[in-house]
Amino acid sequence: MSRILIWVILAVTIFSCSAPEEQKPPNIVIIVSDDHTRQAISAYGSQITQTPNIDRIANEGVLFNNAYVTNSICGPSRAVLLTGKYSHLNGFRRNTDSKFNPGQDQFVKHLQAAGYQTAWIGKYHLGENPQGLDYYEILPGQGYYFNPDFIIKDSTERIRKEGYVSDLVEDAAENWLDRRDPDKPFCVIIGHKATHRTWMPDLQGMDMFDDVTFPIPDNFYDNYVGRQAAMENDMSVDKTMIMGYDLKMFPDDTKDRNVTRMTPEQRAQFDAHYKPIHEELKAMNLSGKELVEWKYQQYMRDYLATAESMDRNIGRTLDYLKEHGLDENTIVIYTSDQGFYLGEHGWFDKRFMYEESFSTPMMMKYPGVITPGTKSNEMVMNLDIAPTVLEAAGVTIPEDLQGESMLPVLTGQKEKGREVLYYHYYEVGEHNVSPHFGVKTDRYKIIRFYNQVDSWELFDLQKDPSEMNNVYGEEQYAEVQKEMKSKLLEAIKKYEDTEAEETFHQDIDEAQIKKK
């Protein structure tokens, strides 16, 4: 063998051993729950429950302490997730009468074009004909907790599956992962129904909080002084929560479809749990505050047990990734459509721009990029998820996306996240929450209610984190009020929200008329 040939072989060998292995695009798993709130997640310091599997995502990545939504209602939030645009631009403002246009631009379509396999499994709530997905297996509308129907891509019939919805959604996600092309990266969105009203735990976990008495929130008996929109609410544990529909204190001939869909065996287990509670309640003959607080305790037990059922299945997702050697190159994001009230202000539900429903849980693991155990206090929004995953996948972020990638802040390329958060809620009449828009900074929040209620609210979150004292119009906050209104108008124009701009300018015109 010639000396030249030996050197060629040696050079090729050295190069092949030392050349870095080509970085594969990361897989992406986005888990979206419904109405799950930070107060019920132990990673956020909850003292009322434990969520060990959701916490795993935070412990292995970043916990966002200041994550928020653009519109606190489930369908619109999912539209924002997919499009990276506010509700007024993606067209899905309200659950009640909006229709999502699946033909519009969505981040999953860009991933598809880049060679990703895409899927949505579980609650979708944006119609029944998704686009940008190689596969979908979705719940019609809200779906049911027991024995739900599924709409499956390329199937002409709805398929009813026996079992509990969180288990079935996870089963379907794993089945799709088993069938995918292992040579291509994937993005799967797992949409859970839990913890949506009517908070139905799975049969094995119905009694897990039966012996727990939960602390009543300090502002449970809020009188809403100075906050007209809050005063007119119809979402209180006291007056709105229904004994049968919500708390399962059913008459024998109940028509609730979550229950009537059960098999005889499921119904027997269900009745064995709830009927003794019902009998005990009747025997106590409660009224007034005692009855309201009994309702609160029953609500909390069902809500948290439903969340535990979901947390267990999120653990199954994480275990699947690890067992199949996927965890080291897979981004996992957990979030909710919005936050939720667990008795704060006397409420359940969401919608308001107050902290409990405006904020949302969000955590993200990205092995090799995000340091495990990171806690970020930067302000981010669900609007930012689409550009974040596109950047991580090496896909060009469309210029018209209104979200901002979170990766520069997480990797130190950028020092600060958002300085101002913009919010707009549109529904009219639901739970009697008036439409409103506003902005939040790290200390202050200003809200403009319109349509049903015509009022302004301003909060100093440093002095009043529970938002009990509306300081709008107070002399000592005159400069803050002026500055926050300026920030609000700036955000309205930045995000091209013409409806809000018309309302804002109408206020200015009316104020000038009054001065004259």
Side-chain angles (χ1 to χ4, degrees):
M1 183 180 296
S2 71
R3 182 175 294 179
I4 294 175
L5 182 58
I6 292 173
W7 276 110
V8 169
I9 294 172
L10 183 60
V12 171
T13 303
I14 292 172
F15 180 81
S16 63
C17 291
S18 61
E21 189 176 324
E22 184 180 352
Q23 180 65 39
K24 294 180 179 179
N27 303 308
I28 300 161
V29 176
I30 302 174
I31 305 170
V32 185
S33 60
D34 197 341
D35 295 345
H36 196 209
T37 191
R38 296 194 310 194
Q39 306 96 284
I41 297 177
S42 45
Y44 284 102
S46 176
Q47 299 298 305
I48 58 176
T49 192
Q50 293 294 310
T51 49
N53 295 297
I54 291 173
D55 293 0
R56 285 167 61 185
I57 303 171
N59 294 338
E60 296 174 16
V62 59
L63 179 73
F64 292 100
N65 287 320
N66 287 297
Y68 291 84
V69 297
T70 66
N71 182 358
S72 183
I73 193 72
C74 49
S77 270
R78 293 175 190 229
V80 168
L81 169 72
L82 280 171
T83 64
K85 298 175 184 176
Y86 273 90
S87 301
H88 59 277
L89 291 188
N90 68 47
F92 202 87
R93 292 176 172 85
R94 297 173 285 267
N95 277 342
T96 49
D97 59 5
S98 295
K99 290 186 178 180
F100 183 67
N101 173 16
Q104 68 183 293
D105 200 24
Q106 302 170 57
F107 82 85
V108 286
K109 294 183 178 182
H110 291 275
L111 290 180
Q112 272 188 323
Y116 273 75
Q117 302 162 91
T118 59
W120 190 304
I121 311 294
K123 183 175 177 181
Y124 175 67
H125 208 211
L126 293 172
E128 299 184 355
N129 185 32
Q131 293 183 26
L133 302 170
D134 297 302
Y135 182 79
Y136 57 80
E137 190 166 333
I138 58 176
L139 300 167
Q142 296 282 6
Y144 293 100
Y145 275 107
F146 287 94
N147 308 329
D149 296 332
F150 286 86
I151 299 169
I152 301 175
K153 186 171 184 178
D154 298 328
S155 175
T156 58
E157 298 179 353
R158 296 185 179 188
I159 307 298
R160 182 172 298 191
K161 296 187 178 184
E162 184 176 321
Y164 182 71
V165 67
S166 297
D167 298 335
L168 295 172
V169 167
E170 176 60 24
D171 290 346
E174 292 185 20
N175 287 339
W176 180 77
L177 287 169
D178 285 340
R179 300 194 309 270
R180 68 186 169 82
D181 183 345
D183 295 325
K184 293 182 179 180
F186 65 83
C187 173
V188 58
I189 304 169
I190 303 175
H192 280 287
K193 174 177 173 62
T195 49
H196 196 276
R197 190 181 187 186
T198 56
W199 321 295
M200 301 193 85
D202 64 4
L203 298 173
Q204 63 181 291
M206 287 186 297
D207 61 352
M208 67 179 304
F209 292 100
D210 280 4
D211 297 327
V212 178
T213 300
F214 298 97
I216 303 285
D218 292 340
N219 60 357
F220 185 74
Y221 291 107
D222 189 351
N223 59 15
Y224 315 117
V225 170
R227 290 158 287 139
Q228 183 186 351
M231 189 178 295
E232 297 189 11
N233 83 86
D234 182 26
M235 49 193 278
S236 71
V237 174
D238 180 6
K239 297 177 181 178
T240 313
M241 193 167 280
I242 302 168
M243 292 296 263
Y245 178 70
D246 290 315
L247 301 178
K248 295 83 175 172
M249 301 295 100
F250 293 110
D252 290 336
D253 62 346
T254 177
K255 297 295 189 292
D256 186 275
R257 293 198 65 194
N258 275 300
V259 178
T260 57
R261 295 172 71 89
M262 292 179 176
T263 65
E265 295 77 17
Q266 291 169 339
R267 183 64 192 268
Q269 285 184 262
F270 181 87
D271 287 344
H273 174 71
Y274 285 104
K275 281 193 172 183
I277 298 173
H278 192 192
E279 293 302 317
E280 182 181 10
L281 173 63
K282 288 191 294 184
M284 289 189 291
N285 195 28
L286 302 176
S287 61
K289 285 181 63 174
E290 288 184 332
L291 179 58
V292 175
E293 293 182 11
W294 182 94
K295 292 172 71 174
Y296 172 73
Q297 296 296 334
Q298 188 61 31
Y299 160 52
M300 292 294 289
R301 288 167 185 149
D302 285 344
Y303 179 95
L304 293 175
T306 303
E308 192 280 336
S309 305
M310 178 179 65
D311 182 75
R312 175 171 45 80
N313 279 288
I314 290 172
R316 288 179 58 197
T317 300
L318 300 177
D319 290 344
Y320 180 98
L321 296 174
K322 189 173 184 65
E323 290 164 4
H324 290 77
L326 298 168
D327 59 321
E328 291 303 316
N329 193 39
T330 298
I331 295 170
V332 180
I333 298 174
Y334 174 74
T335 191
S336 175
D337 287 337
Q338 63 274 312
F340 209 70
Y341 295 99
L342 298 184
E344 299 86 3
H345 303 286
W347 294 336
F348 66 96
D349 209 70
K350 56 262 187 179
R351 304 170 197 274
F352 280 107
M353 196 187 167
Y354 305 138
E355 286 295 290
E356 291 85 0
S357 56
F358 179 29
S359 66
T360 191
M362 190 186 296
M363 54 206 68
M364 173 182 179
K365 60 170 288 191
Y366 188 176
V369 176
I370 298 175
T371 303
T374 298
K375 293 186 178 181
S376 174
N377 292 322
E378 299 303 321
M379 294 197 298
V380 299
M381 305 193 83
N382 59 344
L383 189 71
D384 300 330
I385 292 175
T388 299
V389 298
L390 288 177
E391 181 178 356
V395 177
T396 301
I397 300 172
E399 291 184 1
D400 62 347
L401 258 65
Q402 296 178 312
E404 302 171 8
S405 173
M406 299 178 281
L407 290 182
V409 172
L410 296 174
T411 57
Q413 301 171 45
K414 184 179 176 183
E415 290 186 3
K416 298 290 291 181
R418 293 174 175 269
E419 294 184 357
V420 176
L421 304 178
Y422 179 62
Y423 178 89
H424 196 161
Y425 171 81
Y426 297 86
E427 287 197 353
V428 179
E430 295 298 310
H431 286 281
N432 214 31
V433 177
S434 182
H436 56 286
F437 54 86
V439 290
K440 168 189 162 69
T441 65
D442 60 348
R443 177 167 179 176
Y444 298 105
K445 180 187 296 181
I446 193 165
I447 308 173
R448 173 65 167 102
F449 290 93
Y450 67 101
N451 193 304
Q452 289 175 254
V453 172
D454 184 9
S455 69
W456 286 87
E457 293 182 0
L458 176 67
F459 297 99
D460 184 338
L461 298 173
Q462 188 178 93
K463 295 182 178 179
D464 179 28
S466 298
E467 296 164 298
M468 300 288 286
N469 183 26
N470 175 18
V471 298
Y472 186 86
E474 292 189 8
E475 186 175 349
Q476 63 181 348
Y477 284 95
E479 285 302 313
V480 171
Q481 182 173 307
K482 182 179 178 180
E483 182 182 353
M484 289 300 290
K485 279 193 170 183
S486 176
K487 290 183 182 296
L488 175 57
L489 182 58
E490 184 179 333
I492 287 170
K493 290 181 176 180
K494 175 182 178 180
Y495 295 115
E496 304 173 28
D497 191 347
T498 55
E499 181 177 334
E501 187 169 6
E502 288 172 5
T503 303
F504 190 94
H505 284 304
Q506 181 181 346
D507 289 342
I508 295 174
D509 294 340
E510 290 178 355
Q512 290 175 341
I513 291 171
K514 288 178 181 178
K515 283 183 180 180
K516 293 178 181 179

